[in-house]
Amino acid sequence: MLQLSTALGTKSSKLIGFSTHLVHRDSFESPLYDSSINQSELVERVILRSSSRLSYLKSLLQLPNNDTEEISSIDSRIEGISGDYLMEISIGTPPVMQWAVLDIASDIVWTQCLKCVQCYKQTQPKFNPMKSSSYQPIRCDAKKCKQLGEFINCIDPSSNCKYQLVYGDESYSFGELATETFKLGNTYLPEMVYGCSNNNDGLFKKTNAGIVGLGNGPNSLISRLHRSIPRKFSYCLTDASKGNAKSKIDIGANAIVSSRDSISTPLVLMKPPDFYYITLKAISIQNMRLPITGVTKISLKGNKFGAPKGNAFIDTGTTLTYLHDDIYYELEEELISMIQDSPIPSQSSLKLCYKNSKNFQFPTIIFHFSRGANLTLQMKNTIVPYRGQLCLAILPIDENLVILGNILQMNHMIGFDLERRKVSFLPNYC
């Protein structure tokens, strides 16, 4: 699938790009696939993963966590940093293949490595830096180390850079920061920033080696690319219920960030955290438009945001979509008034549910982003089937922000152009 076979160590005037596949954790091709889990149990796990992920994201935003429920009723191993899409990446020379979670809200690529002080059980072979000719520790006085900010754990400037990542569910990853060669398909990426994690504990899955961070931070995969690779990426997430349907990610010149049929909206970058924000201006249901107004601005480590600028961020690791309480309940009220059937009590923590019938009609929902980017959502982007019910895949939170989850994103090619600072949506492209 990849369209390049090279080590990016030579000078070239040609812009380089490459493409590969993502695997949904519940699809047949995933190392996490469990044939004994039925559809209802999968939805239960989706809800729990979203709740845990929300807790983690709010910890990064330094916001109080009053929304999530206890995550113990179904699967005590659900992990807050988990994402729904896995990416195959090889580390080192010679390369060691690893399955790791794609996370566009993270700023580092890390996997478990030897020698372990403490490691969680892992079915894949752990990376051994002693057997890699391209592994090079980063010193504490190096810029790449200092860019980690509060996550640094250095003894003195001449020592090797150590990092400490602590997640919202109290899972942690401690290790050494180094430069290393990554391999994606047939493409070699030398001197990438890599977290060699040898002290980990918490709610990690044994089939997941670590995290592939694709956020806007200085040490993420997209930020550390060779100068011949444009800082762009795009992905198209497919529905896991389709079995072996593959999702696709394009990086560099291959990324689809604009086309005749795409819509675009400005990308709002704030540091920290290193999320990708866009601005949600209104939500429409049929012909009823609900403006996003009157949102009180909140502070994020020195940054202020709220309607109408940078009030929503896109996240591949969150399954459901979250809206501020006031926005959500106004949306829910309008939906109830438009849907002829009466809502029924939910059998899960989802809020608005109806009986699943062939004749059930759900109104079209449109998210209106800034600069006239109107994203029309299909029913599969807004509804989750569960135990004979059809439930709204959107939940309320008590903070003034919007989290756009991966169900809402499915079957759209979503492009991130970090150079021109825009996000594009191309419907039905997968």
Side-chain angles (χ1 to χ4, degrees):
M1 176 63 192
L2 273 89
Q3 301 175 6
L4 178 68
S5 179
T6 183
L8 301 174
T10 60
K11 294 182 180 180
S12 173
S13 59
K14 183 179 179 181
L15 294 180
I16 295 171
F18 50 94
S19 306
T20 189
H21 288 119
L22 303 173
V23 175
H24 193 283
R25 61 184 296 145
D26 295 328
S27 71
F28 297 147
E29 297 186 357
S30 168
L32 301 176
Y33 178 69
D34 187 346
S35 60
S36 68
I37 303 299
N38 62 37
Q39 179 62 30
S40 294
E41 290 172 322
L42 287 176
V43 174
E44 289 168 350
R45 290 171 181 244
V46 160
I47 296 169
L48 290 171
R49 286 201 301 271
S50 274
S51 178
S52 187
R53 177 72 173 182
L54 175 62
S55 176
Y56 162 58
L57 293 173
K58 292 182 77 171
S59 71
L60 294 182
L61 293 166
Q62 297 187 350
L63 297 174
N65 187 26
N66 302 317
D67 298 294
T68 56
E69 301 174 355
E70 284 295 322
I71 304 173
S72 59
S73 58
I74 299 175
D75 188 348
S76 62
R77 297 172 300 166
I78 294 296
E79 68 273 29
I81 65 165
S82 172
D84 283 346
Y85 291 88
L86 302 177
M87 185 173 180
E88 181 180 317
I89 184 171
S90 295
I91 311 292
T93 307
V96 178
M97 193 278 283
Q98 308 275 259
W99 282 107
V101 169
L102 171 69
D103 189 354
I104 68 170
S106 290
D107 182 31
I108 192 172
V109 178
W110 68 262
T111 66
Q112 290 201 121
C113 68
L114 302 173
K115 298 180 178 179
C116 282
V117 176
Q118 176 172 300
C119 287
Y120 59 89
K121 291 183 179 180
Q122 179 178 313
T123 55
Q124 307 171 61
K126 296 183 181 69
F127 176 67
N128 186 349
M130 299 296 292
K131 294 184 178 180
S132 172
S133 61
S134 51
Y135 183 88
Q136 184 63 48
I138 296 173
R139 287 167 38 115
C140 282
D141 57 1
K143 181 180 179 181
K144 294 173 184 176
C145 180
K146 295 177 181 178
Q147 286 173 329
L148 283 176
E150 62 183 296
F151 303 113
I152 296 173
N153 181 25
C154 278
I155 299 174
D156 60 69
S158 62
S159 64
N160 289 347
C161 182
K162 306 292 184 180
Y163 70 89
Q164 296 181 339
L165 301 176
V166 180
Y167 299 98
D169 59 5
E170 298 185 356
S171 300
Y172 62 81
S173 170
F174 297 172
E176 180 177 81
L177 205 66
T179 58
E180 185 53 286
T181 295
F182 297 164
K183 181 175 179 281
L184 296 172
N186 295 323
T187 304
Y188 290 84
L189 304 172
E191 298 183 358
M192 302 296 287
V193 173
Y194 167 65
C196 179
S197 184
N198 60 7
N199 188 353
N200 313 282
D201 194 19
L203 307 178
F204 298 102
K205 291 288 187 183
K206 63 182 180 180
T207 43
N208 171 28
I211 301 292
V212 178
L214 210 68
N216 184 48
N219 289 321
S220 76
L221 176 62
I222 192 68
S223 296
R224 300 305 308 177
L225 290 175
H226 190 269
R227 62 183 177 273
S228 62
I229 305 178
R231 293 181 68 238
K232 304 175 184 179
F233 68 96
S234 61
Y235 56 76
C236 210
L237 305 179
T238 55
D239 188 349
S241 64
K242 293 182 179 179
N244 62 353
K246 293 181 179 180
S247 300
K248 180 183 179 184
I249 184 167
D250 303 284
I251 298 175
N254 284 21
I256 300 174
V257 294
S258 64
S259 72
R260 184 181 62 182
D261 298 321
S262 65
I263 58 174
S264 298
T265 190
L267 175 61
V268 181
L269 299 178
M270 295 181 282
K271 293 179 176 293
D274 302 308
F275 301 160
Y276 296 112
Y277 291 92
I278 55 179
T279 303
L280 181 64
K281 303 285 285 186
I283 300 174
S284 289
I285 313 163
Q286 307 293 54
N287 294 322
M288 176 63 68
R289 185 179 175 100
L290 307 174
I292 310 298
T293 59
V295 179
T296 303
K297 292 185 178 181
I298 63 174
S299 177
L300 292 181
K301 298 181 181 179
N303 289 294
K304 292 185 177 181
F305 78 100
K309 185 178 182 180
N311 60 353
F313 65 86
I314 306 172
D315 186 37
T316 53
T318 304
T319 309
L320 304 174
T321 290
Y322 292 90
L323 301 175
H324 179 258
D325 285 343
D326 294 343
I327 304 169
Y328 171 83
Y329 286 111
E330 190 175 1
L331 172 67
E332 183 184 88
E333 182 180 351
E334 291 298 332
L335 286 171
I336 292 173
S337 69
M338 291 183 181
I339 297 173
Q340 294 182 354
D341 295 342
S342 298
I344 58 178
S346 173
Q347 298 182 43
S348 67
S349 59
L350 297 173
K351 297 290 185 182
L352 182 62
C353 296
Y354 291 86
K355 183 178 179 180
N356 191 349
S357 64
K358 292 183 180 179
N359 298 324
F360 179 78
Q361 295 293 324
F362 192 77
T364 298
I365 296 178
I366 302 174
F367 275 43
H368 302 279
F369 299 107
S370 58
R371 300 281 179 89
N374 302 321
L375 183 63
T376 301
L377 301 172
Q378 299 180 25
M379 189 167 166
K380 58 189 172 185
N381 296 120
T382 55
I383 289 293
V384 173
Y386 177 72
R387 295 187 184 275
Q389 297 182 338
L390 294 174
C391 300
L392 184 65
I394 301 174
L395 285 175
I397 51 175
D398 61 0
E399 299 296 340
N400 298 323
L401 71 152
V402 175
I403 303 174
L404 304 174
N406 60 54
I407 290 179
L408 182 141
Q409 300 174 50
M410 280 193 316
N411 297 312
H412 293 83
M413 178 65 77
I414 303 179
F416 297 79
D417 188 334
L418 276 61
E419 296 173 349
R420 295 186 178 181
R421 295 202 175 189
K422 69 177 183 177
V423 176
S424 62
F425 298 87
L426 182 58
N428 302 316
Y429 192 83
C430 298

